PDB file of all heavy atoms in Angstrom:
ATOM      1  N   ASN A 112      -7.826 -33.362  14.228  1.00  0.00           N
ATOM      2  CA  ASN A 112      -7.863 -34.266  13.072  1.00  0.00           C
ATOM      3  C   ASN A 112      -7.336 -33.615  11.812  1.00  0.00           C
ATOM      4  O   ASN A 112      -7.468 -34.144  10.731  1.00  0.00           O
ATOM      5  CB  ASN A 112      -9.289 -34.737  12.818  1.00  0.00           C
ATOM      6  CG  ASN A 112      -9.950 -35.153  14.098  1.00  0.00           C
ATOM      7  OD1 ASN A 112      -9.317 -35.807  14.920  1.00  0.00           O
ATOM      8  ND2 ASN A 112     -11.191 -34.755  14.293  1.00  0.00           N
ATOM      9  N   ARG A 113      -6.788 -32.425  11.961  1.00  0.00           N
ATOM     10  CA  ARG A 113      -6.396 -31.733  10.734  1.00  0.00           C
ATOM     11  C   ARG A 113      -4.902 -31.753  10.548  1.00  0.00           C
ATOM     12  O   ARG A 113      -4.130 -31.778  11.491  1.00  0.00           O
ATOM     13  CB  ARG A 113      -6.896 -30.295  10.770  1.00  0.00           C
ATOM     14  CG  ARG A 113      -8.396 -30.224  10.724  1.00  0.00           C
ATOM     15  CD  ARG A 113      -8.859 -28.819  10.648  1.00  0.00           C
ATOM     16  NE  ARG A 113      -8.633 -28.256   9.329  1.00  0.00           N
ATOM     17  CZ  ARG A 113      -9.268 -27.168   8.902  1.00  0.00           C
ATOM     18  NH1 ARG A 113     -10.128 -26.566   9.666  1.00  0.00           N
ATOM     19  NH2 ARG A 113      -9.008 -26.688   7.709  1.00  0.00           N
ATOM     20  N   ASN A 114      -4.539 -31.721   9.306  1.00  0.00           N
ATOM     21  CA  ASN A 114      -3.142 -31.662   8.927  1.00  0.00           C
ATOM     22  C   ASN A 114      -2.612 -30.264   9.268  1.00  0.00           C
ATOM     23  O   ASN A 114      -3.151 -29.270   8.831  1.00  0.00           O
ATOM     24  CB  ASN A 114      -3.130 -31.967   7.419  1.00  0.00           C
ATOM     25  CG  ASN A 114      -1.801 -31.704   6.777  1.00  0.00           C
ATOM     26  OD1 ASN A 114      -1.015 -30.897   7.235  1.00  0.00           O
ATOM     27  ND2 ASN A 114      -1.564 -32.392   5.693  1.00  0.00           N
ATOM     28  N   GLY A 115      -1.549 -30.191  10.085  1.00  0.00           N
ATOM     29  CA  GLY A 115      -1.028 -28.905  10.543  1.00  0.00           C
ATOM     30  C   GLY A 115      -0.639 -27.971   9.414  1.00  0.00           C
ATOM     31  O   GLY A 115      -1.005 -26.799   9.410  1.00  0.00           O
ATOM     32  N   ALA A 116       0.067 -28.491   8.419  1.00  0.00           N
ATOM     33  CA  ALA A 116       0.532 -27.640   7.321  1.00  0.00           C
ATOM     34  C   ALA A 116      -0.655 -27.116   6.505  1.00  0.00           C
ATOM     35  O   ALA A 116      -0.649 -25.983   6.024  1.00  0.00           O
ATOM     36  CB  ALA A 116       1.487 -28.413   6.426  1.00  0.00           C
ATOM     37  N   ARG A 117      -1.684 -27.929   6.383  1.00  0.00           N
ATOM     38  CA  ARG A 117      -2.857 -27.498   5.639  1.00  0.00           C
ATOM     39  C   ARG A 117      -3.580 -26.375   6.381  1.00  0.00           C
ATOM     40  O   ARG A 117      -4.023 -25.399   5.786  1.00  0.00           O
ATOM     41  CB  ARG A 117      -3.793 -28.696   5.442  1.00  0.00           C
ATOM     42  CG  ARG A 117      -4.983 -28.369   4.577  1.00  0.00           C
ATOM     43  CD  ARG A 117      -5.650 -29.650   4.137  1.00  0.00           C
ATOM     44  NE  ARG A 117      -7.039 -29.656   4.544  1.00  0.00           N
ATOM     45  CZ  ARG A 117      -7.833 -30.727   4.465  1.00  0.00           C
ATOM     46  NH1 ARG A 117      -7.355 -31.878   4.025  1.00  0.00           N
ATOM     47  NH2 ARG A 117      -9.077 -30.652   4.834  1.00  0.00           N
ATOM     48  N   LEU A 118      -3.639 -26.508   7.700  1.00  0.00           N
ATOM     49  CA  LEU A 118      -4.265 -25.462   8.503  1.00  0.00           C
ATOM     50  C   LEU A 118      -3.415 -24.177   8.452  1.00  0.00           C
ATOM     51  O   LEU A 118      -3.942 -23.075   8.395  1.00  0.00           O
ATOM     52  CB  LEU A 118      -4.433 -25.939   9.953  1.00  0.00           C
ATOM     53  CG  LEU A 118      -5.147 -24.956  10.875  1.00  0.00           C
ATOM     54  CD1 LEU A 118      -6.595 -24.741  10.447  1.00  0.00           C
ATOM     55  CD2 LEU A 118      -5.104 -25.440  12.325  1.00  0.00           C
ATOM     56  N   TYR A 119      -2.089 -24.368   8.456  1.00  0.00           N
ATOM     57  CA  TYR A 119      -1.185 -23.207   8.338  1.00  0.00           C
ATOM     58  C   TYR A 119      -1.565 -22.389   7.103  1.00  0.00           C
ATOM     59  O   TYR A 119      -1.767 -21.183   7.179  1.00  0.00           O
ATOM     60  CB  TYR A 119       0.265 -23.710   8.221  1.00  0.00           C
ATOM     61  CG  TYR A 119       1.288 -22.628   7.902  1.00  0.00           C
ATOM     62  CD1 TYR A 119       2.050 -22.043   8.906  1.00  0.00           C
ATOM     63  CD2 TYR A 119       1.500 -22.207   6.580  1.00  0.00           C
ATOM     64  CE1 TYR A 119       2.982 -21.048   8.616  1.00  0.00           C
ATOM     65  CE2 TYR A 119       2.416 -21.208   6.274  1.00  0.00           C
ATOM     66  CZ  TYR A 119       3.166 -20.644   7.292  1.00  0.00           C
ATOM     67  OH  TYR A 119       4.078 -19.669   6.995  1.00  0.00           O
ATOM     68  N   TYR A 160       1.633 -28.466   1.065  1.00  0.00           N
ATOM     69  CA  TYR A 160       1.247 -27.270   1.807  1.00  0.00           C
ATOM     70  C   TYR A 160       2.496 -26.517   2.258  1.00  0.00           C
ATOM     71  O   TYR A 160       3.537 -27.105   2.469  1.00  0.00           O
ATOM     72  CB  TYR A 160       0.373 -27.658   3.014  1.00  0.00           C
ATOM     73  CG  TYR A 160      -0.948 -28.246   2.544  1.00  0.00           C
ATOM     74  CD1 TYR A 160      -1.162 -29.621   2.563  1.00  0.00           C
ATOM     75  CD2 TYR A 160      -1.945 -27.424   2.038  1.00  0.00           C
ATOM     76  CE1 TYR A 160      -2.356 -30.159   2.101  1.00  0.00           C
ATOM     77  CE2 TYR A 160      -3.135 -27.946   1.571  1.00  0.00           C
ATOM     78  CZ  TYR A 160      -3.332 -29.315   1.601  1.00  0.00           C
ATOM     79  OH  TYR A 160      -4.506 -29.842   1.126  1.00  0.00           O
TER      80      TYR A 160
END
Side-chain angles (χ1 to χ4, degrees):
N112 314 318
R113 293 185 74 161
N114 169 334
R117 185 165 123 190
L118 183 65
Y119 172 98
Y160 294 102

